[in-house]
Amino acid sequence: MKLAQFTRQLKPSETLAISTKAKTLRAQGRNIIDFGLGEPDFATPGHIMRAAEHAMAEGFTKYTPPAGLPALRRAIADKLKRDNGLDYAPENIIVSCGAKQALYNVIMVLVEQGDEVIVPGPYWVTYPTQVLLAGGTPVSVPTTAADDFKVTGEVLRRYLTPRTRGIILNSPCNPTGAVYTPEELEDLARVLLDTDLFIITDEIYEHIIFDGIEQRSIATLHPALKERSIVINGFSKAYAMTGWRLGYCAGPREVMEMCDRLQSQTTSNATAFVQVAGIEALTGPQDSVRAMAQAFEQRRNFVVARLNAIDGMTCNMPHGAFYTFPQIDGLFGRRAKGQPLLTSADVVSYLLEVAGVALVPGEAFGDDRSMRLSYASSMAELEEGLARVDRAVQQLE
Ligand code: PLP
């Protein structure tokens, strides 16, 4: 059958490829520890689950407006004011089935054939793929561990061309855990103020942030930037609600109206009772959000120290999200059964087969010298998994 042209841009997810391999090994009876996942290992807080149950019993089982329940859009507007200092009317907010759909709507509305979109790398795999699906060209601006995986205004300026339409920022960042300070955002803002680029700012990890660092949205820095910014956020990470599929975007009215229209012709609304649970998440007690962030910080401290103790690996200190992105190119050239390891995929395959630990090769995020380790796992698993990685590395010739 002839497939549509755009399907050529649909690459299979590298994360899924690893987890399929991990599942196959598990089915063969191997004990596999999975550090590949991008979701909190905590359960959704009980008060949010109960809110969904009540909502179902109360009849929130029908369609809602595509843009979301008015009460949820109001709760999101209040949250953006309270947590981020951003003023948005409920009409400037669209609720979607996850932040991923919110991002897709925005990219489809803003990007067209021939447009370039700047994506600082290492990046979340979905950004370049969605830009490609919209007919645009993702332009990766590489950063390294030496830059703490952050792009500066000076570097950004070098990548701007007459075709550049926008930039996608993600702080705290998946996969590196990098967090831009207000000064670093101001440095980017100075360059962006000289342009008319749109700015997509993905802030989904905003509450998973450590070392007392302040989360700041670039949209707060200048009114002229806010007019061109679209904030992406959701419930998956802060409230451990990955499977509920609830996210949102906030931005200029004309962009939101088109997102609303697009969504009304694709998925319609996010699940009605999930939206009611979302109101409870934003307006109910926030102590579980803080408790999860504290647990992640403790794990981060352990994981970074343990990775740095492994010969051939070095790891930056991430300040947010729940990932580390150690450099593993110190292992390139070493041999397993006579075969040299030459890429991040080689190292990750070796560690899966020999240590029984699943990780994601850095090449999936645009950086082949590293791999991503998610520490959304218990301390016991982290200790055992990293001890196995260490032993497997010592066995290399
Ligand atoms: N943005 C980033 C940076 C992510 O890492 C993820 C999920 O992994 C998302 C957005 C999507 O979240 P959601 O589950 O709300 O679609």
Side-chain angles (χ1 to χ4, degrees):
M1 191 169 300
K2 184 175 178 300
L3 300 181
Q5 185 84 10
F6 87 92
T7 55
R8 297 192 190 157
Q9 310 290 5
L10 282 177
K11 297 186 215 95
S13 146
E14 308 247 4
T15 334
L16 276 183
I18 283 286
S19 79
T20 308
K21 202 163 169 191
K23 276 190 195 119
T24 313
L25 289 174
R26 254 189 207 136
Q28 291 165 2
R30 291 279 309 276
N31 171 329
I32 302 294
I33 297 182
D34 195 350
F35 295 151
L37 289 179
E39 62 182 348
D41 53 317
F42 301 103
T44 306
H47 66 103
I48 300 175
M49 304 229 233
R50 285 188 294 279
E53 285 164 19
H54 289 149
M56 262 188 269
E58 282 165 16
F60 283 92
T61 53
K62 312 278 187 196
Y63 292 131
T64 74
L69 288 169
L72 176 56
R73 293 168 86 194
R74 171 85 265 158
I76 293 169
D78 292 346
K79 171 256 173 290
L80 288 168
K81 179 78 188 147
R82 177 190 72 209
D83 295 351
N84 311 99
L86 286 167
D87 272 308
Y88 284 109
E91 294 71 32
N92 291 75
I93 292 161
I94 305 288
V95 176
S96 299
C97 308
K100 194 181 261 182
Q101 189 191 19
L103 182 74
Y104 183 71
N105 289 341
V106 171
I107 288 180
M108 292 307 277
V109 164
L110 291 176
V111 178
E112 59 192 4
Q113 201 74 34
D115 289 346
E116 292 179 0
V117 179
I118 305 256
V119 184
Y123 41 71
W124 181 43
V125 283
T126 294
Y127 301 138
T129 307
Q130 290 196 353
V131 170
L132 286 168
L133 288 176
T137 306
V139 176
S140 170
V141 178
T143 66
T144 63
D147 321 317
D148 225 1
F149 297 115
K150 287 183 270 194
V151 68
T152 62
E154 191 200 336
V155 172
L156 170 62
R157 209 184 278 280
R158 280 191 245 138
Y159 283 80
L160 300 179
T161 77
R163 287 198 302 280
T164 313
R165 279 275 290 129
I167 179 166
I168 305 180
L169 293 175
N170 174 215
S171 175
C173 172
N174 172 10
T176 63
V179 179
Y180 283 81
T181 64
E183 295 72 30
E184 288 162 341
L185 289 176
E186 189 60 62
D187 179 40
L188 295 179
R190 271 193 291 277
V191 176
L192 292 168
L193 280 168
D194 289 341
T195 70
D196 61 356
L197 303 192
F198 68 73
I199 302 148
I200 294 178
T201 162
D202 181 346
E203 302 177 5
I204 197 158
Y205 292 100
E206 66 176 337
H207 291 301
I208 307 173
I209 190 159
F210 319 129
D211 309 310
I213 289 182
E214 182 201 352
Q215 158 69 12
R216 191 68 179 267
S217 172
I218 192 162
T220 59
L221 296 184
H222 297 275
L225 284 188
K226 181 167 175 262
E227 281 168 21
R228 292 191 267 122
S229 296
I230 297 96
V231 178
I232 304 283
N233 209 327
F235 296 74
S236 289
K237 315 292 174 175
Y239 300 100
M241 289 175 70
T242 44
W244 298 63
R245 310 311 303 131
L246 192 63
Y248 56 90
C249 60
R253 195 69 62 91
E254 67 271 24
V255 180
M256 295 301 110
E257 274 169 15
M258 285 301 151
C259 288
D260 185 6
R261 252 190 236 182
L262 176 60
Q263 190 167 294
S264 74
Q265 300 293 3
T266 54
T267 57
S268 300
N269 56 279
T271 306
F273 52 85
V274 167
Q275 292 188 52
V276 179
I279 300 173
E280 173 62 23
L282 294 178
T283 58
Q286 302 295 305
D287 36 325
S288 50
V289 178
R290 284 185 285 273
M292 286 189 257
Q294 270 164 17
F296 282 132
E297 186 163 357
Q298 275 170 6
R299 296 173 188 181
R300 178 214 52 177
N301 293 343
F302 167 74
V303 169
V304 171
R306 190 67 187 82
L307 283 168
N308 278 318
I310 297 174
D311 182 31
M313 293 193 190
T314 52
C315 186
N316 274 37
M317 186 58 90
H319 296 291
F322 40 71
Y323 310 102
T324 51
F325 201 63
Q327 287 166 270
I328 51 169
D329 51 352
L331 299 176
F332 292 175
R334 292 177 65 181
R335 285 166 190 274
K337 292 195 194 125
Q339 285 299 315
L341 304 179
L342 298 174
T343 62
S344 60
D346 288 349
V347 172
V348 162
S349 276
Y350 171 75
L351 292 175
L352 182 57
E353 269 150 39
V354 174
V357 174
L359 297 138
V360 187
E363 70 173 358
F365 310 98
D367 180 345
D368 198 31
R369 289 154 300 181
S370 300
M371 65 182 185
R372 188 187 76 175
L373 182 155
S374 157
Y375 48 88
S377 298
S378 68
M379 273 306 284
E381 274 188 317
L382 291 167
E383 281 168 17
E384 166 68 13
L386 284 164
R388 289 195 203 170
V389 168
D390 198 353
R391 279 197 299 274
V393 168
Q394 287 174 37
Q395 284 167 34
L396 288 168
E397 299 140 29

